[in-house]
Amino acid sequence: VRIQLKRPFFMSVTERGDRFVYDDDGIVRMFVFNANTGYVYGDEMVMEVELKSCDSVQNMGAFNYCDWLYRNGVDYLYKVQSHDLVRPSSVWVGLQFLSLMPQLIMERLRQLIPDYAGIVYTMLFGAQQDFIESDVKQLFQELGLIHLLVVSGAQISVIALVVWRCLRVMRCSPLVAMVCLLVIQLFYGLIVGLDASICRAMVMMDAMFVHRYIMLRRYSMVWYLCVAAIVVAIVIPNSIVSAGFWYSFLITFNLMV
């Protein structure tokens, strides 16, 4: 099958190749390359693709590919056999730069710490860009440390608290500090992607800062958790059927009570 489209803003870069998700009028398609492509946001490309069919699993303990597609909101998965650039991107160069930010950060880490660049990157920014080999992941899993390779609300909370405190020490007003925090969270979200846990932490922290330091009001933490749940369900509707959504909110609720 021959398909022509533009490279979206978000593209996952892995050791096995690039991959991205494309929403075509409500039909979500995932394209998987067998190498890193080097395309930037807005590049128009033509691809020869092969549709990977979804077959039901007979062995209950085997990996359920159909279920994986459903939980990730993907309708069809294509393996890219070949691809060519049709027309270079015409979008603003700043957006092109932002779309390449994960690769640029990884290249810098490879210069500084070549042996541990992939691990350090994943600990800071998560596995949206998969720079770790499978045997290293397996080792972390056997040691019970696989959670270190996943970005969660903990990283968001630490970043928000550190940025807020530093700006307040610099005598910035609460309103200015809030705007700076939102900008930093935006850039961080563009790098790590957005899932239920990250979105929950951002909404809760931002709402709490606005109420306590700008509006001078205080609400129960459960109230912020409920607001975050509503926002996540609206922004990422597919997340409510995932285990990560319920795990994140239930654990947070248990910590509160």
Short mmCIF file of all heavy atoms in Angstrom, two decimals, residues 143-194:
data_model
loop_
_atom_site.label_atom_id
_atom_site.label_comp_id
_atom_site.label_asym_id
_atom_site.label_seq_id
_atom_site.Cartn_x
_atom_site.Cartn_y
_atom_site.Cartn_z
N LEU A 143 15.93 -6.68 38.47
CA LEU A 143 16.37 -6.06 39.72
C LEU A 143 15.23 -5.33 40.44
O LEU A 143 15.42 -4.81 41.54
CB LEU A 143 17.50 -5.07 39.45
CG LEU A 143 18.82 -5.67 38.94
CD1 LEU A 143 19.79 -4.56 38.56
CD2 LEU A 143 19.43 -6.58 40.00
N GLY A 144 14.06 -5.31 39.81
CA GLY A 144 12.92 -4.61 40.42
C GLY A 144 13.03 -3.11 40.35
O GLY A 144 12.43 -2.40 41.16
N LEU A 145 13.77 -2.59 39.37
CA LEU A 145 13.99 -1.15 39.25
C LEU A 145 13.42 -0.58 37.96
O LEU A 145 13.80 0.52 37.55
CB LEU A 145 15.50 -0.84 39.31
CG LEU A 145 16.23 -1.27 40.59
CD1 LEU A 145 17.72 -1.02 40.45
CD2 LEU A 145 15.67 -0.53 41.80
N ILE A 146 12.51 -1.31 37.33
CA ILE A 146 11.98 -0.87 36.04
C ILE A 146 11.22 0.45 36.18
O ILE A 146 11.09 1.22 35.22
CB ILE A 146 11.07 -1.96 35.44
CG1 ILE A 146 10.74 -1.67 33.98
CG2 ILE A 146 9.81 -2.13 36.27
CD1 ILE A 146 11.93 -1.71 33.07
N HIS A 147 10.71 0.74 37.39
CA HIS A 147 9.96 1.99 37.59
C HIS A 147 10.84 3.22 37.42
O HIS A 147 10.33 4.33 37.19
CB HIS A 147 9.32 2.00 38.98
CG HIS A 147 10.32 1.93 40.09
ND1 HIS A 147 10.89 0.74 40.50
CD2 HIS A 147 10.85 2.90 40.88
CE1 HIS A 147 11.73 0.98 41.49
NE2 HIS A 147 11.73 2.27 41.75
N LEU A 148 12.16 3.05 37.54
CA LEU A 148 13.07 4.19 37.36
C LEU A 148 13.11 4.66 35.92
O LEU A 148 13.55 5.78 35.64
CB LEU A 148 14.48 3.80 37.82
CG LEU A 148 14.66 3.48 39.30
CD1 LEU A 148 16.09 3.07 39.58
CD2 LEU A 148 14.25 4.66 40.17
N LEU A 149 12.68 3.80 34.99
CA LEU A 149 12.71 4.13 33.57
C LEU A 149 11.38 4.67 33.07
O LEU A 149 11.15 4.74 31.86
CB LEU A 149 13.12 2.89 32.76
CG LEU A 149 14.44 2.24 33.16
CD1 LEU A 149 14.72 1.04 32.28
CD2 LEU A 149 15.59 3.24 33.09
N VAL A 150 10.51 5.03 33.98
CA VAL A 150 9.18 5.53 33.61
C VAL A 150 8.97 6.90 34.24
O VAL A 150 9.15 7.06 35.45
CB VAL A 150 8.08 4.56 34.08
CG1 VAL A 150 6.70 5.10 33.71
CG2 VAL A 150 8.29 3.17 33.48
N VAL A 151 8.59 7.87 33.42
CA VAL A 151 8.26 9.19 33.94
C VAL A 151 6.88 9.14 34.57
O VAL A 151 5.92 8.65 33.97
CB VAL A 151 8.30 10.25 32.82
CG1 VAL A 151 7.75 11.57 33.33
CG2 VAL A 151 9.71 10.44 32.33
N SER A 152 6.77 9.63 35.79
CA SER A 152 5.50 9.61 36.50
C SER A 152 5.25 10.97 37.11
O SER A 152 5.99 11.94 36.87
CB SER A 152 5.52 8.52 37.58
OG SER A 152 6.51 8.83 38.55
N GLY A 153 4.23 11.04 37.94
CA GLY A 153 3.91 12.29 38.59
C GLY A 153 5.01 12.77 39.53
O GLY A 153 5.09 13.96 39.84
N ALA A 154 5.85 11.84 39.99
CA ALA A 154 6.93 12.23 40.91
C ALA A 154 7.89 13.22 40.25
O ALA A 154 8.26 14.24 40.84
CB ALA A 154 7.68 10.99 41.38
N GLN A 155 8.30 12.92 39.00
CA GLN A 155 9.20 13.85 38.30
C GLN A 155 8.55 15.20 38.09
O GLN A 155 9.18 16.24 38.26
CB GLN A 155 9.64 13.26 36.96
CG GLN A 155 10.67 12.17 37.06
CD GLN A 155 10.07 10.79 37.09
OE1 GLN A 155 8.98 10.60 37.61
NE2 GLN A 155 10.77 9.83 36.54
N ILE A 156 7.26 15.18 37.71
CA ILE A 156 6.55 16.44 37.47
C ILE A 156 6.47 17.26 38.75
O ILE A 156 6.69 18.47 38.75
CB ILE A 156 5.14 16.15 36.94
CG1 ILE A 156 5.20 15.37 35.61
CG2 ILE A 156 4.38 17.46 36.75
CD1 ILE A 156 5.88 16.09 34.51
N SER A 157 6.18 16.60 39.86
CA SER A 157 6.06 17.31 41.14
C SER A 157 7.39 17.91 41.56
O SER A 157 7.45 19.06 42.01
CB SER A 157 5.55 16.35 42.22
OG SER A 157 4.30 15.81 41.87
N VAL A 158 8.47 17.14 41.42
CA VAL A 158 9.79 17.65 41.80
C VAL A 158 10.18 18.85 40.95
O VAL A 158 10.67 19.88 41.45
CB VAL A 158 10.84 16.53 41.69
CG1 VAL A 158 12.25 17.10 41.85
CG2 VAL A 158 10.60 15.46 42.74
N ILE A 159 9.97 18.74 39.63
CA ILE A 159 10.31 19.84 38.72
C ILE A 159 9.50 21.08 39.08
O ILE A 159 10.04 22.20 39.15
CB ILE A 159 10.06 19.43 37.26
CG1 ILE A 159 11.07 18.37 36.83
CG2 ILE A 159 10.13 20.64 36.33
CD1 ILE A 159 10.81 17.79 35.46
N ALA A 160 8.20 20.91 39.33
CA ALA A 160 7.34 22.05 39.64
C ALA A 160 7.77 22.72 40.94
O ALA A 160 7.86 23.96 41.02
CB ALA A 160 5.88 21.59 39.73
N LEU A 161 8.06 21.92 41.96
CA LEU A 161 8.45 22.49 43.25
C LEU A 161 9.79 23.21 43.17
O LEU A 161 9.96 24.30 43.74
CB LEU A 161 8.51 21.39 44.30
CG LEU A 161 7.16 20.79 44.72
CD1 LEU A 161 7.36 19.58 45.63
CD2 LEU A 161 6.30 21.84 45.42
N VAL A 162 10.76 22.61 42.45
CA VAL A 162 12.08 23.24 42.33
C VAL A 162 11.99 24.55 41.55
O VAL A 162 12.55 25.58 41.95
CB VAL A 162 13.07 22.27 41.65
CG1 VAL A 162 14.37 22.99 41.30
CG2 VAL A 162 13.37 21.08 42.56
N VAL A 163 11.27 24.53 40.42
CA VAL A 163 11.13 25.74 39.60
C VAL A 163 10.40 26.83 40.38
O VAL A 163 10.82 27.99 40.40
CB VAL A 163 10.37 25.41 38.30
CG1 VAL A 163 10.02 26.69 37.55
CG2 VAL A 163 11.22 24.51 37.41
N TRP A 164 9.32 26.46 41.07
CA TRP A 164 8.54 27.45 41.82
C TRP A 164 9.38 28.07 42.93
O TRP A 164 9.38 29.29 43.11
CB TRP A 164 7.29 26.78 42.39
CG TRP A 164 6.40 27.71 43.15
CD1 TRP A 164 6.43 28.00 44.49
CD2 TRP A 164 5.38 28.54 42.59
NE1 TRP A 164 5.47 28.91 44.80
CE2 TRP A 164 4.80 29.28 43.67
CE3 TRP A 164 4.88 28.71 41.31
CZ2 TRP A 164 3.76 30.16 43.47
CZ3 TRP A 164 3.83 29.61 41.11
CH2 TRP A 164 3.29 30.32 42.18
N ARG A 165 10.09 27.23 43.67
CA ARG A 165 10.90 27.74 44.77
C ARG A 165 12.02 28.65 44.27
O ARG A 165 12.29 29.71 44.85
CB ARG A 165 11.46 26.58 45.58
CG ARG A 165 12.32 26.99 46.76
CD ARG A 165 11.60 27.92 47.69
NE ARG A 165 10.39 27.32 48.24
CZ ARG A 165 9.51 27.98 48.98
NH1 ARG A 165 9.69 29.27 49.25
NH2 ARG A 165 8.44 27.36 49.45
N CYS A 166 12.68 28.25 43.18
CA CYS A 166 13.77 29.07 42.62
C CYS A 166 13.25 30.42 42.16
O CYS A 166 13.88 31.47 42.40
CB CYS A 166 14.44 28.34 41.47
SG CYS A 166 15.42 26.90 41.97
N LEU A 167 12.10 30.45 41.50
CA LEU A 167 11.55 31.71 41.01
C LEU A 167 11.10 32.60 42.16
O LEU A 167 11.24 33.82 42.11
CB LEU A 167 10.37 31.42 40.07
CG LEU A 167 10.75 30.77 38.73
CD1 LEU A 167 9.50 30.39 37.95
CD2 LEU A 167 11.62 31.72 37.90
N ARG A 168 10.58 32.00 43.22
CA ARG A 168 10.16 32.80 44.36
C ARG A 168 11.37 33.36 45.11
O ARG A 168 11.33 34.48 45.63
CB ARG A 168 9.30 31.95 45.31
CG ARG A 168 7.99 31.49 44.70
CD ARG A 168 7.07 32.66 44.40
NE ARG A 168 6.55 33.23 45.62
CZ ARG A 168 6.28 34.52 45.79
NH1 ARG A 168 6.54 35.38 44.80
NH2 ARG A 168 5.78 34.96 46.93
N VAL A 169 12.47 32.59 45.17
CA VAL A 169 13.69 33.09 45.78
C VAL A 169 14.24 34.27 44.98
O VAL A 169 14.82 35.21 45.55
CB VAL A 169 14.73 31.96 45.89
CG1 VAL A 169 16.11 32.52 46.25
CG2 VAL A 169 14.30 30.92 46.92
N MET A 170 14.03 34.25 43.67
CA MET A 170 14.47 35.34 42.80
C MET A 170 13.50 36.53 42.84
O MET A 170 13.62 37.43 42.03
CB MET A 170 14.61 34.82 41.36
CG MET A 170 15.68 33.78 41.18
SD MET A 170 15.60 32.94 39.58
CE MET A 170 15.80 34.33 38.46
N ARG A 171 12.56 36.52 43.75
CA ARG A 171 11.62 37.62 43.97
C ARG A 171 10.61 37.77 42.83
O ARG A 171 10.05 38.87 42.65
CB ARG A 171 12.36 38.94 44.15
CG ARG A 171 13.39 38.94 45.27
CD ARG A 171 12.75 38.95 46.62
NE ARG A 171 13.73 39.04 47.70
CZ ARG A 171 13.40 39.13 48.98
NH1 ARG A 171 12.14 39.14 49.35
NH2 ARG A 171 14.35 39.17 49.91
N CYS A 172 10.35 36.71 42.09
CA CYS A 172 9.32 36.78 41.06
C CYS A 172 7.94 36.72 41.71
O CYS A 172 7.74 36.01 42.69
CB CYS A 172 9.46 35.61 40.07
SG CYS A 172 10.95 35.66 39.07
N SER A 173 7.01 37.46 41.16
CA SER A 173 5.65 37.43 41.70
C SER A 173 5.02 36.07 41.43
O SER A 173 5.44 35.34 40.52
CB SER A 173 4.81 38.53 41.03
OG SER A 173 4.61 38.23 39.66
N PRO A 174 4.00 35.69 42.20
CA PRO A 174 3.35 34.40 41.97
C PRO A 174 2.82 34.24 40.54
O PRO A 174 2.88 33.15 39.98
CB PRO A 174 2.22 34.39 43.01
CG PRO A 174 2.71 35.26 44.11
CD PRO A 174 3.49 36.34 43.43
N LEU A 175 2.29 35.33 39.96
CA LEU A 175 1.75 35.24 38.61
C LEU A 175 2.85 34.98 37.59
O LEU A 175 2.71 34.13 36.71
CB LEU A 175 1.00 36.55 38.27
CG LEU A 175 0.31 36.56 36.90
CD1 LEU A 175 -0.72 35.45 36.81
CD2 LEU A 175 -0.34 37.92 36.66
N VAL A 176 3.97 35.68 37.69
CA VAL A 176 5.09 35.47 36.79
C VAL A 176 5.66 34.06 36.96
O VAL A 176 5.98 33.38 35.98
CB VAL A 176 6.18 36.53 37.02
CG1 VAL A 176 7.44 36.20 36.21
CG2 VAL A 176 5.67 37.91 36.65
N ALA A 177 5.79 33.62 38.22
CA ALA A 177 6.30 32.28 38.48
C ALA A 177 5.38 31.23 37.89
O ALA A 177 5.84 30.21 37.35
CB ALA A 177 6.45 32.07 39.99
N MET A 178 4.07 31.45 37.93
CA MET A 178 3.11 30.49 37.38
C MET A 178 3.24 30.41 35.87
O MET A 178 3.20 29.32 35.28
CB MET A 178 1.69 30.92 37.78
CG MET A 178 0.64 29.87 37.50
SD MET A 178 0.84 28.44 38.58
CE MET A 178 0.66 27.11 37.42
N VAL A 179 3.39 31.55 35.22
CA VAL A 179 3.56 31.56 33.76
C VAL A 179 4.84 30.83 33.36
O VAL A 179 4.84 30.01 32.43
CB VAL A 179 3.57 33.01 33.23
CG1 VAL A 179 3.91 33.02 31.74
CG2 VAL A 179 2.21 33.66 33.46
N CYS A 180 5.93 31.10 34.06
CA CYS A 180 7.20 30.41 33.76
C CYS A 180 7.07 28.91 33.98
O CYS A 180 7.59 28.11 33.19
CB CYS A 180 8.32 30.98 34.64
SG CYS A 180 8.74 32.70 34.30
N LEU A 181 6.37 28.52 35.05
CA LEU A 181 6.18 27.10 35.33
C LEU A 181 5.39 26.42 34.22
O LEU A 181 5.72 25.31 33.80
CB LEU A 181 5.47 26.93 36.67
CG LEU A 181 5.15 25.50 37.09
CD1 LEU A 181 6.41 24.68 37.22
CD2 LEU A 181 4.38 25.49 38.41
N LEU A 182 4.36 27.08 33.72
CA LEU A 182 3.55 26.51 32.65
C LEU A 182 4.36 26.34 31.37
O LEU A 182 4.22 25.34 30.66
CB LEU A 182 2.33 27.40 32.38
CG LEU A 182 1.25 27.43 33.47
CD1 LEU A 182 0.18 28.45 33.13
CD2 LEU A 182 0.63 26.04 33.64
N VAL A 183 5.23 27.30 31.08
CA VAL A 183 6.07 27.20 29.89
C VAL A 183 7.04 26.03 30.01
O VAL A 183 7.22 25.24 29.07
CB VAL A 183 6.85 28.52 29.67
CG1 VAL A 183 7.88 28.35 28.55
CG2 VAL A 183 5.88 29.64 29.33
N ILE A 184 7.67 25.89 31.19
CA ILE A 184 8.60 24.77 31.41
C ILE A 184 7.87 23.44 31.33
O ILE A 184 8.37 22.47 30.74
CB ILE A 184 9.30 24.94 32.76
CG1 ILE A 184 10.23 26.16 32.72
CG2 ILE A 184 10.09 23.69 33.13
CD1 ILE A 184 10.87 26.50 34.04
N GLN A 185 6.68 23.36 31.90
CA GLN A 185 5.89 22.13 31.82
C GLN A 185 5.52 21.81 30.38
O GLN A 185 5.48 20.64 29.99
CB GLN A 185 4.63 22.25 32.68
CG GLN A 185 4.89 22.20 34.17
CD GLN A 185 3.62 22.35 34.97
OE1 GLN A 185 2.61 22.85 34.48
NE2 GLN A 185 3.66 21.92 36.22
N LEU A 186 5.24 22.84 29.58
CA LEU A 186 4.91 22.63 28.17
C LEU A 186 6.07 21.99 27.43
O LEU A 186 5.90 21.01 26.70
CB LEU A 186 4.52 23.96 27.52
CG LEU A 186 4.29 23.92 26.01
CD1 LEU A 186 3.13 22.99 25.66
CD2 LEU A 186 4.04 25.33 25.46
N PHE A 187 7.28 22.56 27.62
CA PHE A 187 8.45 22.00 26.96
C PHE A 187 8.73 20.58 27.44
O PHE A 187 9.06 19.69 26.64
CB PHE A 187 9.68 22.89 27.22
CG PHE A 187 9.73 24.11 26.35
CD1 PHE A 187 9.40 25.35 26.84
CD2 PHE A 187 10.12 24.01 25.02
CE1 PHE A 187 9.43 26.47 26.03
CE2 PHE A 187 10.17 25.13 24.20
CZ PHE A 187 9.82 26.37 24.71
N TYR A 188 8.59 20.35 28.72
CA TYR A 188 8.82 19.01 29.25
C TYR A 188 7.81 18.03 28.70
O TYR A 188 8.13 16.90 28.34
CB TYR A 188 8.76 19.04 30.78
CG TYR A 188 9.20 17.76 31.44
CD1 TYR A 188 10.54 17.44 31.54
CD2 TYR A 188 8.27 16.87 31.97
CE1 TYR A 188 10.96 16.26 32.14
CE2 TYR A 188 8.68 15.69 32.57
CZ TYR A 188 10.02 15.40 32.66
OH TYR A 188 10.42 14.22 33.25
N GLY A 189 6.54 18.47 28.60
CA GLY A 189 5.51 17.60 28.05
C GLY A 189 5.74 17.27 26.58
O GLY A 189 5.42 16.16 26.13
N LEU A 190 6.31 18.22 25.83
CA LEU A 190 6.61 17.96 24.42
C LEU A 190 7.68 16.88 24.28
O LEU A 190 7.72 16.16 23.28
CB LEU A 190 7.07 19.24 23.73
CG LEU A 190 6.01 20.33 23.55
CD1 LEU A 190 6.64 21.57 22.94
CD2 LEU A 190 4.87 19.83 22.67
N ILE A 191 8.55 16.76 25.27
CA ILE A 191 9.62 15.78 25.21
C ILE A 191 9.15 14.41 25.69
O ILE A 191 9.40 13.39 25.04
CB ILE A 191 10.83 16.24 26.05
CG1 ILE A 191 11.42 17.53 25.47
CG2 ILE A 191 11.90 15.14 26.11
CD1 ILE A 191 12.53 18.12 26.30
N VAL A 192 8.46 14.37 26.81
CA VAL A 192 8.11 13.08 27.42
C VAL A 192 6.78 12.54 26.92
O VAL A 192 6.48 11.36 27.11
CB VAL A 192 8.07 13.19 28.95
CG1 VAL A 192 9.38 13.72 29.48
CG2 VAL A 192 6.92 14.09 29.41
N GLY A 193 5.95 13.39 26.28
CA GLY A 193 4.63 12.94 25.92
C GLY A 193 3.66 13.15 27.08
O GLY A 193 4.04 13.55 28.18
N LEU A 194 2.41 12.84 26.83
CA LEU A 194 1.38 13.09 27.83
C LEU A 194 0.60 11.80 28.10
O LEU A 194 0.01 11.22 27.20
CB LEU A 194 0.41 14.18 27.34
CG LEU A 194 -0.49 14.82 28.38
CD1 LEU A 194 0.32 15.58 29.42
CD2 LEU A 194 -1.49 15.76 27.71
#
